[in-house]
């Protein structure tokens, strides 16, 4: 019966269209610039968000058209007298649509994971975001089936997919950073960017999947409950599904997270040993999952050391975001890694910026009269960038004059000022007066 429904319905053409779109989406990005190729968790999230934003609206539209067949063919009266309840009839249409969508979804996961396997030096596929993607597509398809059965007009069918897409875009735009908390958690779309410092909260995602599937099955029972007595499902069979939906929704309501982005994720446990490289007394450490970036980090560290290795007061120990720094007196800096295919040029620039001393949180800037009233940290950064032969930001003629006056001072005086200024910046104190070029003696 299911195979007959699969052959008769329109979902097979929807599946062919989704396959073409998904193949282009997952196989065309460049691994060096992509924000997901190379991170297993982000690859799974990418498949999930594609499923919810593209597969869900298309599958629900096809299912709505198939479900509306009883009205288009004027066989609604016959459907109400069949031995199968209305719930069984709508569930069969839903199953036929999902049976076409699930192999396509699995193909997309295989494409995404194969791209990541080409980049990453570890093998750690993440599956829980894929489960929530299946559940959300199931919920979207169930609503499409119900609209197709209940709507007397064919015009309503295309608006099922358009409505879903508009609702999800509106959720992303207007929910803001609260889209992962209540009540948005009842529409679990993981439109997030997680680097290796975070990993999915598998238990919470599975509860969200139970909620979506249970609620979708309850919605499928709505046409039968609204139609004739013969088509109504037995209320006893609805009880377990209703209980599962209520418990899952209640669990999602009780969850609280310290930060909005952590509602569906937890912090990755600290590794026993991070992967590190050392160059001339400077060290850069990465998460083990990012060990494929170790060659780029080593080259970036060499470039930074060659250009500003002799500048006093700079930070010489870099730890990727999320890594715990060892206790000690030596200052450390956070090294951001925004994409899994980060190249050495971007890492060099980020490492150079991270080497600058940073004031503590809550520290107010200290304006420096010698550079036109700009914060004193601006002068420190401009001097370091001049030493590294890197273009700096132009802050006006007064700033440029003050910087030029500083650079004409003896090198020993510059180094002494840099060392003292770095300590003052880290302690949230005003830096000492910049050195001046001494006038030649007659």
């Amino acid at each position: 019966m299911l195979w007959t429904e699969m052959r008769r319905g329109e979902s097979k053409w929807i599946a062919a269209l989704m396959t073409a779109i998904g193949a282009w989406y997952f196989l065309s990005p460049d691994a060096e610039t992509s924000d997901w190729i190379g991170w297993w968790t982000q690859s799974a999230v990418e498949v999930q968000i594609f499923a919810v934003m593209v597969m869900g609206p298309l599958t629900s539209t096809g299912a709505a058209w198939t479900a509306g067949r009883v009205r288009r063919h004027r066989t609604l009266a016959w459907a109400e007298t069949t031995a199968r309840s209305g719930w069984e009839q709508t569930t069969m249409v839903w199953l036929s649509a999902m049976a076409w969508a699930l192999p396509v979804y699995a193909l997309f996961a295989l494409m995404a994971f194969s791209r990541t396997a080409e980049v990453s030096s570890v093998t750690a596929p993440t599956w829980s975001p894929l489960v929530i993607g299946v559940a959300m597509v199931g919920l979207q398809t169930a609503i499409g089936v119900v609209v197709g059965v209940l709507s007397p007009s064919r015009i309503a069918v295309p608006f099922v997919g358009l409505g879903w897409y508009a609702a999800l875009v509106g959720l992303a735009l207007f929910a803001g950073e609260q889209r992962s908390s209540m009540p948005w958690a009842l529409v679990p779309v993981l439109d997030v960017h997680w680097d290796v410092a975070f990993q999915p909260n598998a238990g919470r995602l599975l509860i969200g999947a139970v909620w979506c599937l249970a609620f979708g099955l309850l919605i499928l029972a709505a046409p039968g409950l609204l139609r004739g007595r013969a088509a109504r499902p037995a209320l006893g069979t609805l009880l377990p599904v209703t209980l599962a939906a209520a418990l899952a929704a209640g669990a999602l309501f009780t969850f609280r997270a310290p930060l909005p982005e952590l509602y569906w994720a937890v912090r990755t446990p600290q590794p026993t040993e991070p992967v590190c490289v050392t160059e001339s007394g400077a060290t850069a450490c990465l998460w083990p999952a990012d060990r494929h970036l170790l060659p780029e980090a080593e080259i970036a560290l060499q470039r930074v050391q060659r250009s500003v290795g002799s500048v006093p007061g700079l930070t010489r120990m870099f730890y990727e975001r999320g890594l715990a720094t060892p206790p000690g007196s030596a200052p450390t800096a956070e090294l951001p890694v925004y994409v899994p295919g980060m190249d050495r040029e971007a890492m060099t620039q980020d490492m150079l910026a991270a080497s600058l001393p940073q004031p503590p949180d809550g520290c107010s800037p200290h304006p420096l009269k010698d550079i036109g009233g700009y914060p004193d940290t601006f002068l420190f950064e401009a001097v370091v960038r001049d030493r590294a032969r890197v273009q700096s930001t132009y802050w006006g003629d007064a700033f440029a004059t003050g910087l030029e006056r500083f650079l004409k001072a003896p090198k020993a005086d510059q180094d002494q000022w840099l060392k003292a200024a770095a300590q003052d910046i880290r302690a949230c104190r005003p830096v000492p007066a910049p050195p001046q070029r001494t006038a030649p003696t007659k």
Side-chain angles (χ1 to χ4, degrees), residues 22 30 58 62 86 105 218 307 311 439 441:
D30 184 6
L58 289 176
Y105 188 74
L218 282 179
S307 60
V311 178
T441 58

Side-chain angles (χ1 to χ4, degrees), residues 37-48:
I37 299 177
W39 286 340
W40 293 100
T41 295
Q42 196 59 35
S43 297
V45 171
E46 197 72 16
V47 177
Q48 177 270 155

Side-chain angles (χ1 to χ4, degrees), residues 3 7 99 118 282 442:
W3 175 239
R7 288 188 293 110
E118 295 173 357
K442 296 183 180 180

Side-chain angles (χ1 to χ4, degrees), residues 337-406:
V337 176
Y338 300 106
V339 295
M342 194 172 184
D343 59 14
R344 59 194 61 175
E345 297 295 336
M347 188 167 289
T348 301
Q349 294 298 324
D350 289 344
M351 193 175 293
L352 178 63
S355 67
L356 301 172
Q358 300 296 327
D361 294 337
C363 178
S364 300
H366 299 98
L368 190 61
K369 182 179 180 181
D370 297 65
I371 56 174
Y374 285 97
D376 48 15
T377 54
F378 286 22
L379 177 61
F380 193 102
E381 180 178 357
V383 174
V384 173
R385 287 185 172 274
D386 181 80
R387 296 276 186 97
R389 301 290 191 270
V390 176
Q391 184 176 3
S392 183
T393 305
Y394 181 75
W395 296 106
D397 294 339
F399 184 90
T401 301
L403 175 61
E404 183 179 2
R405 190 165 50 244
F406 180 95

Side-chain angles (χ1 to χ4, degrees), residues 105 183 227 235 280 413:
Y105 188 74
R227 281 153 57 181
L235 296 181
S280 303
D413 294 345

Side-chain angles (χ1 to χ4, degrees), residues 93-326:
V93 177
W94 178 79
L95 284 175
S96 67
M98 293 297 294
W100 281 111
L102 289 179
V104 177
Y105 188 74
L107 178 62
F108 294 159
L110 181 61
M111 290 179 182
F113 284 161
S114 64
R115 297 297 307 277
T116 290
E118 295 173 357
V119 174
S120 179
S121 299
V122 300
T123 303
T126 305
W127 303 104
S128 50
L130 300 180
V131 176
I132 202 69
V134 171
M136 268 299 297
V137 172
L139 175 59
Q140 292 170 286
T141 305
I143 293 179
V145 171
V146 172
V147 171
V149 173
L150 297 180
S151 175
S153 174
R154 302 180 185 182
I155 298 298
V157 171
F159 286 97
V160 175
L162 293 175
W164 266 116
Y165 189 78
L168 294 170
V169 171
L171 177 67
L173 291 177
F174 300 110
E177 64 181 10
Q178 300 295 327
R179 63 178 177 268
S180 296
S181 59
M182 300 311 300
W184 310 110
L186 296 180
V187 188
V189 184
L190 306 184
D191 185 13
V192 292
H193 181 76
W194 291 333
D195 55 18
V196 293
F198 295 96
Q199 62 185 13
N201 189 327
R204 195 168 298 179
L205 288 174
L206 291 178
I207 292 176
V210 171
W211 151 253
C212 289
L213 289 176
F215 186 58
L217 290 175
L218 282 179
I219 291 175
L220 289 172
L225 294 174
L226 297 175
R227 281 153 57 181
R229 182 181 299 274
R232 292 177 184 172
L235 296 181
T237 60
L238 289 175
L239 183 60
V241 182
T242 305
L243 183 61
L247 291 177
L252 293 177
F253 269 110
T254 58
F255 287 142
R256 292 293 181 269
L259 294 174
E261 67 267 23
L262 296 181
Y263 187 87
W264 297 110
V266 293
R267 297 189 180 273
T268 305
Q270 291 295 317
T272 306
E273 290 290 340
V275 291
C276 302
V277 292
T278 302
E279 176 68 27
S280 303
T283 302
C285 295
L286 304 175
W287 286 89
D290 276 342
R291 65 181 64 202
H292 61 278
L293 294 175
L294 208 58
E296 281 68 25
E298 184 176 9
I299 293 176
L301 193 63
Q302 292 173 355
R303 291 179 175 180
V304 171
Q305 285 299 98
R306 282 199 302 264
S307 60
V308 295
S310 61
V311 178
L314 297 184
T315 303
R316 310 294 182 185
M317 298 185 66
F318 308 95
Y319 288 84
E320 186 178 356
R321 189 176 80 90
L323 280 177
T325 57

